Amino acid sequence: MTHQHLTDEAKPPHAPTHRLTLCFSSTRRGARLARQLAVQQFTEWTGLPYESDPAGAVALVTAELASNAVRHGSLPGRDFRLTLFLLPDCFRVEVTDTRPEHLPPSAPPQPDEGTSGRGLLLVEAYADRWGRAVRDAYTKTVWAEVRFRPMGS
């Protein structure tokens, strides 16, 4: 599996076969619910079991992106948005928050660079591609794509 980090691609490269967008409160509970929803939609849309490796990757990636939105991207009273896409070759998770000035680093930290940004190592390990995009003056989106093989392939 090759992992590629991109910072400039804001939109999925292919038309999605399924798409879902919901807002969640910028709380730990909201982040947990976002993770649960992402895995539920992944298994429903792909037919793969909850215990599959791709479903686990979706859970870890979504948990990290959502918790980062809560910790580093929230303003009081503002929610974060989760958008899920089923693309022909992958499942894409996008988390949009209200702090465009707080971008994640362009690459995960090295082992000797302290403790901040460690969750991005999980994203780097479990996502096939990921990146960030600032689409306007009020929001930023961090996204990740997890490849999978459809049932019966």
Side-chain angles (χ1 to χ4, degrees):
M1 177 185 316
T2 59
H3 297 282
Q4 181 181 14
H5 170 75
L6 302 173
T7 59
D8 57 354
E9 186 179 334
K11 300 260 184 197
H14 305 287
T17 58
H18 290 81
R19 176 186 175 158
L20 176 69
T21 300
L22 290 172
C23 290
F24 293 89
S25 63
S26 290
T27 63
R28 290 175 57 194
R29 181 173 187 266
R32 186 177 69 251
L33 291 172
R35 176 186 53 80
Q36 291 170 342
L37 175 73
V39 175
Q40 173 63 36
Q41 286 306 130
F42 175 81
T43 60
E44 188 175 308
W45 289 345
T46 65
L48 293 172
Y50 185 84
E51 301 81 20
S52 68
D53 288 342
V58 167
L60 287 168
V61 166
T62 305
E64 181 55 32
L65 298 184
S67 67
N68 279 350
V70 170
R71 264 185 269 146
H72 307 297
S74 66
L75 291 170
R78 300 293 301 271
D79 296 338
F80 70 91
R81 183 174 63 230
L82 175 71
T83 303
L84 306 172
F85 298 93
L86 182 62
L87 301 166
D89 61 345
C90 66
F91 187 80
R92 182 175 172 117
V93 177
E94 293 186 357
V95 175
T96 302
D97 66 45
T98 56
R99 299 294 298 268
E101 73 278 11
H102 288 170
L103 288 173
S106 60
Q110 296 301 313
D112 59 345
E113 291 182 1
T115 58
S116 181
R118 292 278 169 227
L120 290 177
L121 291 172
L122 284 174
V123 174
E124 183 80 18
Y126 287 94
D128 293 282
R129 297 184 336 132
W130 69 280
R132 61 198 185 161
V134 176
R135 296 178 178 151
D136 57 46
Y138 307 104
T139 62
K140 76 167 174 298
T141 299
V142 183
W143 57 269
E145 294 177 351
V146 175
R147 291 193 187 282
F148 65 93
R149 284 194 156 156
M151 292 286 290
S153 302

Short mmCIF file of all heavy atoms in Angstrom, two decimals, residues 20-54:
data_model
loop_
_atom_site.label_atom_id
_atom_site.label_comp_id
_atom_site.label_asym_id
_atom_site.label_seq_id
_atom_site.Cartn_x
_atom_site.Cartn_y
_atom_site.Cartn_z
N LEU A 20 -22.90 11.34 1.96
CA LEU A 20 -23.68 11.69 3.15
C LEU A 20 -22.94 12.80 3.88
O LEU A 20 -21.73 12.72 4.08
CB LEU A 20 -23.84 10.47 4.06
CG LEU A 20 -24.55 10.72 5.38
CD1 LEU A 20 -26.03 11.03 5.15
CD2 LEU A 20 -24.40 9.53 6.31
N THR A 21 -23.68 13.83 4.30
CA THR A 21 -23.10 14.93 5.08
C THR A 21 -23.96 15.18 6.30
O THR A 21 -25.19 15.30 6.17
CB THR A 21 -23.02 16.22 4.24
OG1 THR A 21 -22.22 15.99 3.09
CG2 THR A 21 -22.44 17.37 5.04
N LEU A 22 -23.32 15.24 7.47
CA LEU A 22 -24.00 15.57 8.72
C LEU A 22 -23.12 16.46 9.57
O LEU A 22 -21.89 16.41 9.47
CB LEU A 22 -24.31 14.30 9.52
CG LEU A 22 -25.38 13.37 8.97
CD1 LEU A 22 -25.42 12.09 9.77
CD2 LEU A 22 -26.73 14.04 9.00
N CYS A 23 -23.75 17.25 10.42
CA CYS A 23 -23.02 18.08 11.37
C CYS A 23 -23.08 17.43 12.76
O CYS A 23 -24.08 16.81 13.12
CB CYS A 23 -23.61 19.48 11.43
SG CYS A 23 -23.30 20.42 9.93
N PHE A 24 -22.00 17.62 13.51
CA PHE A 24 -21.88 17.08 14.86
C PHE A 24 -21.39 18.18 15.79
O PHE A 24 -20.65 19.07 15.38
CB PHE A 24 -20.87 15.92 14.90
CG PHE A 24 -21.33 14.71 14.15
CD1 PHE A 24 -21.06 14.57 12.80
CD2 PHE A 24 -22.05 13.72 14.79
CE1 PHE A 24 -21.49 13.46 12.10
CE2 PHE A 24 -22.49 12.62 14.10
CZ PHE A 24 -22.20 12.48 12.75
N SER A 25 -21.79 18.08 17.06
CA SER A 25 -21.32 19.05 18.04
C SER A 25 -19.82 18.89 18.22
O SER A 25 -19.28 17.77 18.14
CB SER A 25 -22.03 18.86 19.38
OG SER A 25 -21.73 17.59 19.91
N SER A 26 -19.13 19.97 18.46
CA SER A 26 -17.68 19.95 18.64
C SER A 26 -17.35 19.50 20.06
O SER A 26 -16.81 20.27 20.87
CB SER A 26 -17.09 21.31 18.33
OG SER A 26 -17.18 21.57 16.95
N THR A 27 -17.69 18.26 20.34
CA THR A 27 -17.45 17.64 21.66
C THR A 27 -16.86 16.25 21.44
O THR A 27 -16.89 15.73 20.32
CB THR A 27 -18.77 17.49 22.44
OG1 THR A 27 -19.63 16.60 21.70
CG2 THR A 27 -19.45 18.84 22.65
N ARG A 28 -16.37 15.65 22.52
CA ARG A 28 -15.87 14.28 22.41
C ARG A 28 -16.99 13.34 21.96
O ARG A 28 -16.77 12.43 21.18
CB ARG A 28 -15.29 13.84 23.75
CG ARG A 28 -14.00 14.55 24.08
CD ARG A 28 -13.47 14.23 25.45
NE ARG A 28 -13.27 12.79 25.62
CZ ARG A 28 -13.08 12.22 26.78
NH1 ARG A 28 -13.05 12.93 27.88
NH2 ARG A 28 -12.90 10.91 26.86
N ARG A 29 -18.18 13.57 22.45
CA ARG A 29 -19.33 12.75 22.05
C ARG A 29 -19.60 12.90 20.55
O ARG A 29 -19.86 11.93 19.85
CB ARG A 29 -20.57 13.13 22.86
CG ARG A 29 -21.77 12.29 22.50
CD ARG A 29 -22.94 12.59 23.45
NE ARG A 29 -24.04 11.68 23.21
CZ ARG A 29 -25.07 11.93 22.41
NH1 ARG A 29 -25.15 13.09 21.80
NH2 ARG A 29 -26.03 11.05 22.24
N GLY A 30 -19.53 14.14 20.04
CA GLY A 30 -19.72 14.37 18.61
C GLY A 30 -18.69 13.63 17.78
O GLY A 30 -19.01 13.04 16.75
N ALA A 31 -17.43 13.65 18.24
CA ALA A 31 -16.37 12.94 17.52
C ALA A 31 -16.62 11.43 17.54
O ALA A 31 -16.45 10.75 16.52
CB ALA A 31 -15.01 13.26 18.14
N ARG A 32 -17.06 10.90 18.67
CA ARG A 32 -17.35 9.47 18.77
C ARG A 32 -18.52 9.08 17.85
O ARG A 32 -18.46 8.08 17.15
CB ARG A 32 -17.66 9.09 20.22
CG ARG A 32 -17.85 7.60 20.44
CD ARG A 32 -18.08 7.23 21.89
NE ARG A 32 -19.38 7.70 22.35
CZ ARG A 32 -19.59 8.69 23.20
NH1 ARG A 32 -18.57 9.34 23.73
NH2 ARG A 32 -20.81 9.05 23.55
N LEU A 33 -19.56 9.91 17.83
CA LEU A 33 -20.70 9.63 16.95
C LEU A 33 -20.31 9.69 15.47
O LEU A 33 -20.80 8.90 14.67
CB LEU A 33 -21.84 10.60 17.25
CG LEU A 33 -22.53 10.42 18.61
CD1 LEU A 33 -23.50 11.56 18.86
CD2 LEU A 33 -23.22 9.07 18.69
N ALA A 34 -19.43 10.62 15.13
CA ALA A 34 -18.96 10.73 13.74
C ALA A 34 -18.22 9.45 13.34
O ALA A 34 -18.43 8.92 12.24
CB ALA A 34 -18.06 11.95 13.58
N ARG A 35 -17.38 8.94 14.22
CA ARG A 35 -16.65 7.70 13.94
C ARG A 35 -17.62 6.54 13.75
O ARG A 35 -17.51 5.77 12.79
CB ARG A 35 -15.67 7.38 15.06
CG ARG A 35 -14.95 6.04 14.85
CD ARG A 35 -14.09 5.64 16.03
NE ARG A 35 -14.78 5.64 17.30
CZ ARG A 35 -15.59 4.66 17.75
NH1 ARG A 35 -15.82 3.60 17.02
NH2 ARG A 35 -16.14 4.76 18.94
N GLN A 36 -18.59 6.43 14.64
CA GLN A 36 -19.56 5.34 14.55
C GLN A 36 -20.37 5.42 13.25
O GLN A 36 -20.60 4.40 12.58
CB GLN A 36 -20.49 5.35 15.76
CG GLN A 36 -19.78 4.96 17.04
CD GLN A 36 -20.63 5.20 18.29
OE1 GLN A 36 -21.61 5.94 18.26
NE2 GLN A 36 -20.25 4.57 19.38
N LEU A 37 -20.78 6.62 12.89
CA LEU A 37 -21.54 6.79 11.66
C LEU A 37 -20.69 6.43 10.44
O LEU A 37 -21.17 5.77 9.52
CB LEU A 37 -22.04 8.22 11.52
CG LEU A 37 -22.73 8.50 10.18
CD1 LEU A 37 -24.10 7.83 10.13
CD2 LEU A 37 -22.84 9.97 9.92
N ALA A 38 -19.44 6.86 10.42
CA ALA A 38 -18.58 6.58 9.27
C ALA A 38 -18.43 5.07 9.06
O ALA A 38 -18.54 4.58 7.93
CB ALA A 38 -17.21 7.23 9.46
N VAL A 39 -18.20 4.33 10.13
CA VAL A 39 -18.05 2.89 9.99
C VAL A 39 -19.37 2.24 9.58
O VAL A 39 -19.40 1.36 8.72
CB VAL A 39 -17.50 2.27 11.30
CG1 VAL A 39 -17.46 0.75 11.20
CG2 VAL A 39 -16.11 2.81 11.59
N GLN A 40 -20.48 2.70 10.16
CA GLN A 40 -21.79 2.17 9.79
C GLN A 40 -22.06 2.39 8.30
O GLN A 40 -22.49 1.48 7.59
CB GLN A 40 -22.89 2.82 10.62
CG GLN A 40 -24.30 2.46 10.19
CD GLN A 40 -24.60 0.98 10.35
OE1 GLN A 40 -24.15 0.35 11.29
NE2 GLN A 40 -25.36 0.43 9.42
N GLN A 41 -21.80 3.59 7.81
CA GLN A 41 -22.04 3.88 6.39
C GLN A 41 -21.09 3.08 5.51
O GLN A 41 -21.48 2.58 4.45
CB GLN A 41 -21.91 5.37 6.10
CG GLN A 41 -23.06 6.18 6.59
CD GLN A 41 -24.40 5.68 6.08
OE1 GLN A 41 -25.33 5.49 6.85
NE2 GLN A 41 -24.53 5.45 4.79
N PHE A 42 -19.84 2.96 5.92
CA PHE A 42 -18.87 2.18 5.15
C PHE A 42 -19.37 0.74 4.98
O PHE A 42 -19.39 0.21 3.87
CB PHE A 42 -17.50 2.20 5.82
CG PHE A 42 -16.50 1.32 5.14
CD1 PHE A 42 -15.84 1.76 4.00
CD2 PHE A 42 -16.23 0.04 5.60
CE1 PHE A 42 -14.93 0.94 3.34
CE2 PHE A 42 -15.33 -0.79 4.95
CZ PHE A 42 -14.68 -0.33 3.82
N THR A 43 -19.77 0.11 6.08
CA THR A 43 -20.20 -1.29 6.00
C THR A 43 -21.50 -1.42 5.20
O THR A 43 -21.67 -2.37 4.44
CB THR A 43 -20.35 -1.93 7.39
OG1 THR A 43 -21.33 -1.21 8.15
CG2 THR A 43 -19.03 -1.94 8.13
N GLU A 44 -22.39 -0.46 5.36
CA GLU A 44 -23.66 -0.50 4.62
C GLU A 44 -23.43 -0.32 3.12
O GLU A 44 -24.01 -1.05 2.30
CB GLU A 44 -24.59 0.58 5.15
CG GLU A 44 -25.99 0.53 4.60
CD GLU A 44 -26.89 1.55 5.25
OE1 GLU A 44 -26.96 1.59 6.49
OE2 GLU A 44 -27.51 2.33 4.50
N TRP A 45 -22.61 0.65 2.75
CA TRP A 45 -22.39 0.95 1.33
C TRP A 45 -21.53 -0.10 0.63
O TRP A 45 -21.68 -0.32 -0.56
CB TRP A 45 -21.75 2.31 1.17
CG TRP A 45 -22.65 3.47 1.47
CD1 TRP A 45 -24.02 3.46 1.60
CD2 TRP A 45 -22.25 4.82 1.69
NE1 TRP A 45 -24.48 4.72 1.88
CE2 TRP A 45 -23.42 5.58 1.94
CE3 TRP A 45 -21.03 5.47 1.70
CZ2 TRP A 45 -23.39 6.95 2.19
CZ3 TRP A 45 -21.00 6.84 1.94
CH2 TRP A 45 -22.18 7.56 2.18
N THR A 46 -20.56 -0.70 1.35
CA THR A 46 -19.63 -1.63 0.70
C THR A 46 -20.01 -3.09 0.88
O THR A 46 -19.54 -3.94 0.12
CB THR A 46 -18.20 -1.45 1.25
OG1 THR A 46 -18.19 -1.82 2.63
CG2 THR A 46 -17.70 -0.03 1.04
N GLY A 47 -20.80 -3.40 1.91
CA GLY A 47 -21.11 -4.80 2.21
C GLY A 47 -20.00 -5.50 2.96
O GLY A 47 -20.11 -6.69 3.27
N LEU A 48 -18.93 -4.80 3.27
CA LEU A 48 -17.82 -5.40 4.03
C LEU A 48 -18.19 -5.44 5.51
O LEU A 48 -18.90 -4.57 6.00
CB LEU A 48 -16.54 -4.60 3.82
CG LEU A 48 -15.96 -4.64 2.41
CD1 LEU A 48 -14.82 -3.66 2.26
CD2 LEU A 48 -15.50 -6.05 2.07
N PRO A 49 -17.69 -6.45 6.23
CA PRO A 49 -18.04 -6.56 7.65
C PRO A 49 -17.38 -5.47 8.50
O PRO A 49 -16.33 -4.93 8.16
CB PRO A 49 -17.55 -7.94 8.05
CG PRO A 49 -16.58 -8.34 7.01
CD PRO A 49 -16.90 -7.57 5.76
N TYR A 50 -18.01 -5.22 9.63
CA TYR A 50 -17.52 -4.24 10.58
C TYR A 50 -16.10 -4.59 11.04
O TYR A 50 -15.30 -3.71 11.33
CB TYR A 50 -18.48 -4.19 11.78
CG TYR A 50 -18.15 -3.13 12.79
CD1 TYR A 50 -18.59 -1.82 12.60
CD2 TYR A 50 -17.41 -3.42 13.92
CE1 TYR A 50 -18.30 -0.83 13.52
CE2 TYR A 50 -17.11 -2.44 14.85
CZ TYR A 50 -17.55 -1.15 14.64
OH TYR A 50 -17.25 -0.18 15.54
N GLU A 51 -15.78 -5.87 11.11
CA GLU A 51 -14.48 -6.33 11.60
C GLU A 51 -13.40 -6.32 10.52
O GLU A 51 -12.26 -6.70 10.78
CB GLU A 51 -14.58 -7.76 12.17
CG GLU A 51 -15.55 -7.90 13.31
CD GLU A 51 -17.01 -8.03 12.86
OE1 GLU A 51 -17.26 -8.38 11.67
OE2 GLU A 51 -17.90 -7.75 13.67
N SER A 52 -13.73 -5.91 9.30
CA SER A 52 -12.74 -5.93 8.21
C SER A 52 -11.66 -4.87 8.43
O SER A 52 -11.87 -3.88 9.13
CB SER A 52 -13.43 -5.69 6.86
OG SER A 52 -13.93 -4.38 6.78
N ASP A 53 -10.51 -5.12 7.83
CA ASP A 53 -9.40 -4.16 7.94
C ASP A 53 -9.77 -2.78 7.41
O ASP A 53 -9.47 -1.76 8.05
CB ASP A 53 -8.15 -4.68 7.24
CG ASP A 53 -7.50 -5.84 8.00
OD1 ASP A 53 -7.79 -6.01 9.20
OD2 ASP A 53 -6.69 -6.55 7.38
N PRO A 54 -10.43 -2.68 6.23
CA PRO A 54 -10.81 -1.34 5.76
C PRO A 54 -11.77 -0.62 6.72
O PRO A 54 -11.65 0.58 6.91
CB PRO A 54 -11.46 -1.60 4.40
CG PRO A 54 -10.91 -2.91 3.95
CD PRO A 54 -10.71 -3.71 5.21
#
